[in-house]
Amino acid sequence: MLRLGYTKPGSWASFWAILTLVGLVTRAAQKTDVGGESTGTSINHSQTLLQRLQELLRQGNASDVVLRVQATGTDEVRVFHAHRLLLGLHSELFRELLSNQSEVVLQEPRDGAAVFDKFIRYLYCGELIVLLAQAIPLHRLATKYGVSSLQRGVADYMRAHLAGGAGPAVGWYHYAVSTGDEALRQSCLQFLAWNLSAVAGSAEWGAVSPELLAQLLPRSDLVLQDELELFHALEAWLGRARPPPAVAERALRSIRYPMIPPAQLFQLQARSAALARHGPAVADLLLQAYQFHAASPLHYAKFFDVNGSSFLPRNYLAPAWGAPWVINNPARDDRSTSFQTQLGPSGHDSGRRVTWNVLFSPRWLPVSLRPVYADAAGTALPLARPEDGRPRLVVTPASSGGDAAGVSFQKTVLVGTRQHGRLLVRHAYSFHQSSEEAGDFLAHADLQRRNSEYLVENALHLHLIVKPVYHPLIRTPK
């Protein structure tokens, strides 16, 4: 039995030697069997060991260091009787900090001091329970003290809860920027893009920084009711944040005015406080939008470039660009539906429609796995099992005249999840006209499981979107 007691400075090597010896002896004992069997029987008492370590921390038995954790700006101090060896196993910083002293005072922000007991418990037991409000302080502590396993674990927790719609995406984004966590930053950006309607209508929208806004506005994968909704959300943000004129004008120039019908553009010019204040900065874009709506896309393209982002729809939920589709018991059998979209965003095409047919199959088998009864030599081959299949979604035009206006089509399928009564986007799949299906559609989803994270009350909630993209062969004359 190894007794953990006070260790003189510089005696870490002896502890590591003991631990290494214990590990070797344990592994040797597990591999050797008295009866001469080639493989021994594993004896696992790890849970008992974890319980003993918890008692060691709770009771402070044989502790050799004292941590005094003071919340910044207060007189509140929390005292932890701990063990130099266990702290040093996880943290190089603790190892150096405690190498020549047995009592230290640690200054931590209030939220960090409040969860320091959980942080210490993780160092003893390798587990903890995280709440949403505790994610940032725990991640900050893990980063500060170099506990990489906890740092990764909390970051994974944050990304997982973003996908489920539970995490405060705006606050976590700003934290990720401050710590340089690029993976978390990208996860937050993706969630905000796919759920901008929900975020813009929440209290989080007021906390968006100018830098985050500048990251979001140029994106074509924003999910919104329409471009007018984005304009109103931006106008509300400008009213609260009151940024410098240059920031406001740059943001207003990110709106895709050709995606807004002329009647709504007239109303904006007459009623918008933002345009009244910054109208000259976007006058050229408004003129461009009116010209675009007044002519056919082919005629407009003879004089102007239509291949820029201003002429590309985002992921609009309005009926002109797609339709929702709720599939109950999706693992049961194949389903099909159809819907119509506007041919193009131009006012010239507002009355023209394209019909789309959609097929969903929960267990589609690739050609390589389809049933084959015999090979060339006449040998019977085993049939593929239904569980070998994967979900498949195919979107095709009902007729071949959809590109008459010089456009191709990008198809996007949104998969919804419900969180706190809201239906949020969990994932998005995009594919172009050259492909009729999303190759990785729900590749990792288990639709047989009723509590699957992709299902809402045993139903698959999809939203099908078709975005017209002006054909790249159209060129502006030089």
Side-chain angles (χ1 to χ4, degrees):
M1 178 176 126
L2 178 64
R3 181 176 180 182
L4 299 180
Y6 175 72
T7 307
K8 295 181 181 179
S11 62
W12 285 104
S14 62
F15 268 104
W16 288 114
I18 293 173
L19 287 175
T20 303
L21 179 61
V22 170
L24 290 174
V25 172
T26 302
R27 286 193 292 272
Q30 290 177 341
K31 291 181 179 179
T32 304
D33 187 86
V34 176
E37 296 180 6
S38 59
T39 58
T41 300
S42 174
I43 301 176
N44 188 346
H45 295 154
S46 57
Q47 289 301 318
T48 302
L49 176 60
L50 286 177
Q51 292 173 6
R52 297 284 176 84
L53 288 173
Q54 290 183 50
E55 293 174 4
L56 197 65
L57 174 63
R58 185 171 59 251
Q59 299 175 3
N61 293 338
S63 64
D64 55 358
V65 292
V66 176
L67 305 180
R68 297 186 179 276
V69 181
Q70 182 174 13
T72 304
T74 72
D75 295 329
E76 178 186 349
V77 176
R78 304 183 71 184
V79 179
F80 298 90
H81 295 272
H83 302 81
R84 179 182 280 105
L85 173 63
L86 291 176
L87 299 183
L89 285 174
H90 293 277
S91 168
E92 182 70 27
L93 179 60
F94 271 134
R95 192 181 311 169
E96 295 176 359
L97 191 63
L98 301 172
S99 61
N100 56 6
Q101 54 186 331
S102 59
E103 183 171 331
V104 294
V105 177
L106 305 175
Q107 295 284 342
E108 300 295 343
R110 291 188 182 186
D111 57 353
V115 297
F116 205 88
D117 56 336
K118 288 195 171 190
F119 174 65
I120 289 293
R121 185 182 185 279
Y122 176 85
L123 301 183
Y124 276 71
C125 307
E127 65 175 0
L128 52 74
I129 297 175
V130 188
L131 302 177
L132 287 174
Q134 299 170 341
I136 286 180
L138 282 170
H139 190 276
R140 190 187 297 119
L141 287 172
T143 303
K144 175 180 177 178
Y145 292 99
V147 185
S148 57
S149 58
L150 179 59
Q151 190 176 358
R152 289 192 303 269
V154 176
D156 290 343
Y157 165 88
M158 295 166 82
R159 286 192 290 271
H161 281 72
L162 278 173
V170 173
W172 285 359
Y173 173 86
H174 293 140
Y175 173 74
V177 170
S178 68
T179 58
D181 191 327
E182 182 62 18
L184 179 59
R185 189 186 79 89
Q186 289 294 337
S187 296
C188 292
L189 265 181
Q190 189 63 84
F191 174 84
L192 291 168
W194 286 347
N195 297 281
L196 198 59
S197 281
V199 175
S202 71
E204 276 199 284
W205 187 242
V208 168
S209 65
E211 183 272 335
L212 174 53
L213 190 71
Q215 292 287 320
L216 288 171
L217 290 179
R219 296 178 66 122
S220 295
D221 62 343
L222 300 185
V223 176
L224 300 144
Q225 192 65 23
D226 50 32
E227 192 72 14
L228 186 62
E229 181 185 27
L230 181 59
F231 180 91
H232 288 317
L234 173 58
E235 188 169 43
W237 183 88
L238 292 173
R240 284 194 295 263
R242 298 199 175 277
V247 174
E249 291 168 4
R250 188 162 53 248
L252 286 168
R253 289 190 66 84
S254 298
I255 296 294
R256 301 182 181 182
Y257 296 99
M259 299 298 105
I260 302 176
Q264 295 177 346
L265 286 174
F266 284 132
Q267 291 181 357
L268 288 182
Q269 285 189 285
R271 302 174 182 174
S272 168
L275 289 184
R277 188 176 300 110
H278 305 287
V282 296
D284 59 321
L285 300 181
L286 292 171
L287 175 60
Q288 179 191 63
Y290 287 126
Q291 291 173 328
F292 172 72
H293 287 297
S296 71
L298 288 174
H299 185 71
Y300 182 87
K302 294 178 181 179
F303 304 96
F304 304 101
D305 185 4
V306 295
N307 294 318
S309 60
S310 294
F311 302 96
L312 177 64
R314 307 184 203 257
N315 289 328
Y316 299 136
L317 302 176
W321 307 111
W325 190 19
V326 179
I327 304 175
N328 292 306
N329 300 313
R332 191 180 62 194
D333 49 30
D334 294 357
R335 317 290 172 86
S336 63
T337 189
S338 62
F339 64 99
Q340 289 188 326
T341 61
Q342 190 170 310
L343 178 62
S346 169
H348 183 271
D349 293 328
S350 61
R352 305 174 68 183
R353 295 287 185 270
V354 179
T355 300
W356 302 91
N357 295 327
V358 189
L359 171 67
F360 169 77
S361 176
R363 291 179 298 277
W364 176 77
L365 290 172
V367 174
S368 59
L369 292 178
R370 290 178 185 175
V372 178
Y373 297 99
D375 61 11
T379 304
L381 298 178
L383 296 178
R385 300 168 300 173
E387 55 268 28
D388 292 330
R390 61 171 178 80
R392 185 194 192 197
L393 191 82
V394 180
V395 182
T396 56
S399 62
S400 59
D403 59 351
V407 296
S408 58
F409 296 95
Q410 176 181 312
K411 302 140 190 175
T412 299
V413 182
L414 307 178
V415 181
T417 184
R418 189 174 298 281
Q419 183 69 34
H420 302 307
R422 301 181 301 171
L423 193 63
L424 302 174
V425 177
R426 180 179 183 84
H427 205 85
Y429 301 88
S430 295
F431 47 108
H432 291 270
Q433 185 167 345
S434 58
S435 174
E436 295 179 344
E437 64 176 296
D440 59 346
F441 180 69
L442 295 178
H444 304 292
D446 182 4
L447 301 182
Q448 302 279 351
R449 188 162 50 89
R450 292 182 64 88
N451 62 344
S452 168
E453 61 270 24
Y454 290 90
L455 301 181
V456 179
E457 297 175 354
N458 201 33
L460 186 61
H461 286 250
L462 307 179
H463 198 104
L464 311 168
I465 299 172
V466 178
K467 300 194 288 188
V469 181
Y470 286 99
H471 204 282
L473 292 179
I474 299 177
R475 291 288 184 264
T476 303
K478 297 181 180 179

